[in-house]
């Protein structure tokens, strides 16, 4: 019996026939397609045998319980051509049954090999920005560790980081190589000049007058030579005898890592100059561009030094020795070398799962906007956080995600300042991983929400759930208009509500929602307000230097919706 798998063009498209294409036919890629699959089955990416992670709780269908899965962009882009015989593959396992699903997407941006090519190539620009998202979370993690919180950073500090990044709008993006250049530009020459060396002892035929050291093997050799004296033995061998010579060598593990680090930094510097700076005269004269360019030239010069001529390449996965872990100079090299290796290893995975990373970014921005509202005192709406909260970060991405479920701020007491507080409501923020545990969201898996706001009136009225969708439209070559996307989400939300309301649960909540959509070229957050049943849509720049603008747009949407229902 074949496994029932359906692909949906948008996260909210489950049950929408016109947005659920036949898997045997080509389909339009608009950035965030999802797959619905029986809970009894598992979904794998064959290339790396990665198991897909569901988002949202299971939902009932006539065929049993189903789950929604976000699809990897890289798999879709791998099969993205204008010909219909180009396919991408995902694999379904259910018990002993294995089935390969061939997808035929059209319109996914592709990336040149090793991020090469022109800066204007959209795939190259997108890949660079996706890597910068990971760097942003790395910076948050470093900030948390410096504050003594290990992997926890307060929401106030996290929001401050967004505005710190916004101040760099006139600079090229702060990639990893920028941080390395700033930290190592002045230290690297002295480290290379004082590179550790070792002395090898080896047996060589040396002039008799230069022999200063011998061993038993040398003495045994001399005994076998003709002549009764050392002079006669040397005369029989052109005035040479076997002795111990000491040879200096730089070919140690720490210097192999040092050499590879320098070469990789030079390559990263060239790539940064090509993809982030380009021919823009303003960016070329910026402090970051100059710093990276100087560091790149320094690395290129150091890599040509004679001491590295006999230094071999390090093993693919080097294990640090005592020097790399404890010598102050080499420890700094090892720290940044590991960061470079980690980034290169993550490039493919981040590219594949960029839709999940964007959903993580959107959850972060929406929560930051809600927390910012709690700091505002000049608005009609009051939002008061009842319990302190913090962002919980992970060092290693999990299929694109870097923020742990449960990091959401709240709960909040929300209400209108013009009304008594007894008519206020409690607002809870629910991550899709925890949605199955909350009575108001446990049936909402079919909606494909990436975050839920649950509003519970204190006076005992009907609950309301605000569903937030994150769609990565910047990953598609083209997509419907913003108005059409909002209309699609609005119609789907009404359809989901009708289906769920038919269950007859008098406590089933009302549903509202809005969409956060990524845009490649936007420099400000554009709000597309919903009309006649349409949802609000916030068009957000994928460049993190403009996320401070996104906060304002999302705050307006949240405030508008809450004011209309309170």
């Amino acid at each position: 019996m074949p496994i029932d798998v359906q692909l949906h063009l948008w996260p909210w498209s489950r049950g929408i026939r016109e947005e659920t294409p036949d898997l045997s036919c080509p389909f339009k890629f608009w950035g965030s397609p999802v797959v619905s699959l029986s809970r009894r089955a598992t979904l794998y990416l064959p290339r790396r045998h990665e198991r897909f992670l569901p988002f949202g709780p299971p939902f009932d269908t006539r065929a049993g319980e189903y789950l929604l899965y976000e699809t990897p962009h890289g798999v879709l882009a791998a099969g993205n051509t204008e010909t219909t015989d180009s396919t991408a593959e995902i694999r379904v396992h259910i018990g002993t049954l294995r089935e390969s699903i061939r997808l035929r997407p059209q319109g996914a941006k592709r990336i040149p090999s090793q991020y090469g090519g022109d800066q204007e190539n959209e795939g190259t620009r997108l890949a660079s920005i996706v890597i910068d998202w990971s760097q942003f979370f790395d910076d948050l993690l470093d900030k948390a560790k410096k504050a003594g919180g290990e992997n926890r950073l307060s929401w106030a500090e996290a929001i401050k980081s967004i505005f710190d990044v916004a101040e760099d709008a006139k600079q090229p993006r702060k990639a990893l190589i920028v941080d390395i250049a700033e930290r190592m530009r002045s230290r690297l020459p002295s480290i290379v000049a004082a590179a550790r060396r070792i002395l090898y002892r080896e047996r060589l035929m040396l002039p008799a007058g230069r022999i200063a050291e011998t061993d038993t093997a040398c003495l045994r050799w001399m005994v076998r030579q003709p002549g009764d004296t050392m002079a006669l033995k040397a005369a029989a061998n052109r005035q040479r005898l076997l002795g111990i010579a000491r040879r200096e060598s730089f070919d140690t593990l720490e210097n192999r890592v040092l050499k590879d680090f320098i070469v990789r930094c030079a390559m990263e510097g060239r790539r940064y100059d090509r993809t982030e700076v380009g021919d823009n005269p303003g960016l070329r004269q910026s402090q970051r561009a100059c710093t990276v360019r100087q560091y790149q030239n320094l690395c290129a010069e150091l890599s040509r030094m004679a001491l590295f001529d006999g230094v071999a390449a390090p093993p693919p996965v080097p294990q640090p020795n005592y020097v790399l872990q404890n010598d102050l100079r080499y420890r700094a090299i090892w720290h940044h070398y590991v960061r470079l290796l980690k980034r290169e290893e993550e490039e493919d995975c981040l590219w594949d799962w960029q839709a999940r990373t964007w959903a993580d970014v959107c959850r972060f921005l929406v929560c930051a906007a809600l927390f910012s509202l709690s700091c505002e005192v000049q608005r009609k709406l009051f939002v008061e956080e009842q319990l302190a909260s913090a962002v919980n970060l992970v060092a290693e991405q999990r299929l694109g995600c870097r923020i742990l479920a449960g990091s959401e701020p709240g709960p909040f007491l929300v209400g209108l300042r013009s009304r008594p507080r007894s008519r206020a409501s409690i607002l809870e923020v629910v991550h899709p991983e925890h949605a199955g545990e909350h009575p108001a969201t446990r049936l909402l898996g079919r909606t494909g929400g990436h975050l839920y706001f649950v509003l519970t009136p204190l006076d005992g009225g009907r609950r309301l759930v605000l569903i937030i969708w994150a769609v990565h439209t910047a990953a598609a070559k083209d997509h419907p208009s913003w108005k059409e996307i909002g209309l699609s989400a609005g119609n789907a939300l009404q359809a989901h509500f009708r289906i769920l309301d038919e269950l007859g649960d008098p406590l089933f909540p009302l549903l509202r929602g809005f969409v956060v959509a990524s845009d490649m070229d936007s420099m400000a957050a554009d709000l597309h307000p919903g009309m006649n049943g349409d949802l609000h849509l916030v068009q957000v720049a994928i460049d993190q230097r403009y996320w401070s603008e996104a906060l304002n747009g999302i705050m307006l949407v949240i405030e508008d919706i809450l004011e209309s229902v309170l």
Side-chain angles (χ1 to χ4, degrees):
M1 179 179 179
I3 302 172
D4 182 20
V5 181
Q6 290 186 333
L7 184 133
H8 314 286
L9 299 182
W10 298 111
W12 54 78
S13 297
R14 166 71 194 186
I16 310 300
R17 182 174 300 177
E18 58 270 22
E19 295 178 0
T20 303
D22 188 338
L23 290 177
S24 63
C25 301
F27 64 91
K28 289 290 185 181
F29 176 83
W30 290 333
S32 294
V34 300
V35 169
S36 60
L37 179 66
S38 170
R39 190 179 186 182
R40 297 180 297 111
T42 53
L43 200 57
Y44 285 89
L45 178 59
R47 187 173 62 195
R48 291 193 296 266
H49 199 67
E50 288 177 336
R51 181 175 177 176
F52 286 39
L53 298 175
F55 72 108
F59 54 93
D60 290 327
T61 69
R62 293 179 180 177
E65 285 191 327
Y66 272 57
L67 286 164
L68 289 181
Y69 298 84
E70 292 155 302
T71 56
H73 178 91
V75 172
L76 300 175
N80 174 40
T81 67
E82 298 303 321
T83 60
T84 58
D85 58 351
S86 178
T87 59
E89 181 182 276
I90 56 178
R91 190 166 297 155
V92 182
H93 295 187
I94 180 168
T96 58
L97 181 61
R98 303 289 186 268
E99 183 174 333
S100 293
I101 307 298
R102 301 283 179 174
L103 305 177
R104 296 183 177 182
Q106 293 180 339
K109 288 179 181 176
R110 302 186 69 179
I111 179 175
S113 176
Q114 296 300 316
Y115 295 7
D118 195 334
Q119 180 196 11
E120 297 304 317
N121 181 285
E122 288 185 334
T124 301
R125 290 175 58 205
L126 177 61
S128 178
I129 292 172
V130 169
I131 291 297
D132 286 342
W133 293 346
S134 182
Q135 182 62 41
F136 175 78
F137 289 121
D138 282 340
D139 292 341
L140 290 183
L141 191 61
D142 288 342
K143 195 171 184 178
K145 290 180 178 178
K146 289 178 181 177
E150 292 298 326
N151 65 338
R152 290 172 58 85
L153 184 67
S154 69
W155 275 103
E157 286 298 319
I159 293 171
K160 184 177 180 297
S161 298
I162 296 176
F163 287 93
D164 289 343
V165 172
E167 294 177 1
D168 297 331
K170 294 182 180 180
Q171 296 261 12
R173 282 186 291 273
K174 187 178 180 180
L176 174 59
I177 189 61
V178 176
D179 183 56
I180 294 176
E182 291 173 347
R183 294 170 182 259
M184 300 302 298
R185 183 177 52 169
S186 60
R187 299 179 61 184
L188 194 58
S190 61
I191 294 174
V192 173
R196 287 174 59 89
R197 64 199 76 185
I198 57 175
L199 291 176
Y200 285 108
R201 298 173 73 253
E202 54 186 358
R203 301 181 187 92
L204 296 174
M205 296 297 293
L206 301 174
R210 291 179 52 191
I211 293 179
E213 185 179 355
T214 60
D215 61 7
T216 55
C218 295
L219 293 175
R220 284 196 296 268
W221 179 87
M222 289 181 188
V223 168
R224 293 195 297 267
Q225 304 309 307
D228 296 329
T229 65
M230 296 293 288
L232 293 176
K233 292 178 183 292
N237 291 280
R238 298 181 181 180
Q239 300 301 320
R240 290 177 176 270
L241 296 173
L242 186 66
I244 299 296
R246 293 183 179 271
R247 178 173 60 86
E248 188 177 74
S249 174
F250 291 93
D251 191 19
T252 62
L253 176 61
E254 56 268 22
N255 287 332
R256 292 178 181 181
V257 168
L258 175 61
K259 178 182 179 180
D260 197 39
F261 172 73
I262 292 172
V263 171
R264 288 174 184 271
C265 284
M267 293 173 57
E268 284 296 313
R270 287 192 294 271
R271 186 163 75 173
Y272 182 84
D273 188 67
R274 182 179 67 248
T275 60
E276 302 296 339
V277 181
D279 298 325
N280 187 316
L283 295 182
R284 292 200 69 80
Q285 299 305 316
S286 65
Q287 181 179 354
R288 283 180 184 166
C290 293
T291 299
V292 172
R293 199 177 306 117
Q294 292 170 5
Y295 184 66
Q296 172 200 333
N297 294 334
L298 173 64
C299 289
E301 181 181 347
L302 293 175
S303 66
R304 293 191 292 268
M305 292 185 66
L307 69 91
F308 289 123
D309 289 346
V311 177
V317 185
Q319 297 298 317
N321 59 11
Y322 180 86
V323 176
L324 289 172
Q325 294 182 80
N326 295 282
D327 187 291
L328 290 177
R329 300 166 302 158
Y330 283 97
R331 189 165 63 186
I333 295 295
W334 175 250
H335 171 71
H336 295 300
Y337 183 68
V338 169
R339 294 175 72 192
L340 281 174
L341 292 181
K342 173 189 169 186
R343 207 210 73 160
E344 291 183 1
E345 290 173 357
E346 286 189 343
E347 281 181 357
D348 286 343
C349 192
L350 287 171
W351 175 257
D352 282 352
W353 298 103
Q354 60 185 274
R356 283 175 55 85
T357 308
W358 175 247
D360 227 22
V361 169
C362 290
R363 282 189 287 264
F364 175 76
L365 293 176
V366 170
C367 290
L370 180 61
F371 185 88
S372 298
L373 276 175
S374 69
C375 303
E376 299 280 347
V377 295
Q378 302 298 326
R379 296 178 181 266
K380 297 179 181 179
L381 189 73
F382 69 84
V383 179
E384 298 176 0
E385 189 179 25
Q386 302 301 297
L387 295 173
S389 56
V391 186
N392 291 308
L393 301 151
V394 291
E396 303 288 339
Q397 55 85 21
R398 186 186 181 199
L399 298 191
C401 292
R402 293 290 302 274
I403 300 180
L404 290 174
S407 299
E408 300 74 35
F412 296 89
L413 180 68
V414 299
L416 297 175
R417 297 185 187 277
S418 59
R419 293 184 179 181
R421 296 174 78 84
S422 61
R423 298 186 62 185
S425 299
I426 295 296
L427 190 154
E428 301 167 90
V429 185
V430 182
H431 192 282
E433 286 188 21
H434 296 160
E437 302 170 14
H438 197 291
T441 57
R442 62 184 179 83
L443 299 178
L444 299 182
R446 63 181 296 114
T447 64
H450 292 101
L451 195 67
Y452 303 94
F453 286 0
V454 179
L455 204 64
T456 306
L458 292 178
D459 60 7
R462 193 173 184 181
R463 276 176 168 163
L464 179 135
V465 175
L466 177 62
I467 304 173
I468 295 96
W469 289 288
V471 293
H472 189 29
T473 40
K477 292 182 179 179
D478 54 59
H479 55 76
S481 69
W482 305 117
K483 181 179 179 181
E484 290 176 317
I485 295 174
L487 182 62
S488 170
N491 291 337
L493 186 61
Q494 293 176 16
H496 291 310
F497 180 75
R498 284 195 300 269
I499 293 172
L500 295 170
D501 197 40
E502 289 176 357
L503 298 176
D505 185 354
L507 300 179
F508 186 77
L510 298 171
L511 300 181
R512 297 286 295 272
F514 69 90
V515 178
V516 182
S518 63
D519 187 73
M520 175 73 77
D521 301 314
S522 175
M523 296 175 62
D526 292 330
L527 175 60
H528 302 271
M531 298 176 62
N532 301 324
D534 297 356
L535 277 80
H536 292 304
L537 183 145
V538 186
Q539 177 187 349
V540 176
I542 60 174
D543 192 328
Q544 61 194 24
R545 293 172 295 178
Y546 310 114
W547 285 355
S548 60
E549 296 290 334
L551 284 182
N552 294 326
I554 295 171
M555 285 170 63
L556 288 174
V557 171
I558 295 174
E559 190 174 30
D560 180 71
I561 294 175
L562 292 181
E563 285 182 8
S564 67
V565 299
L566 288 173

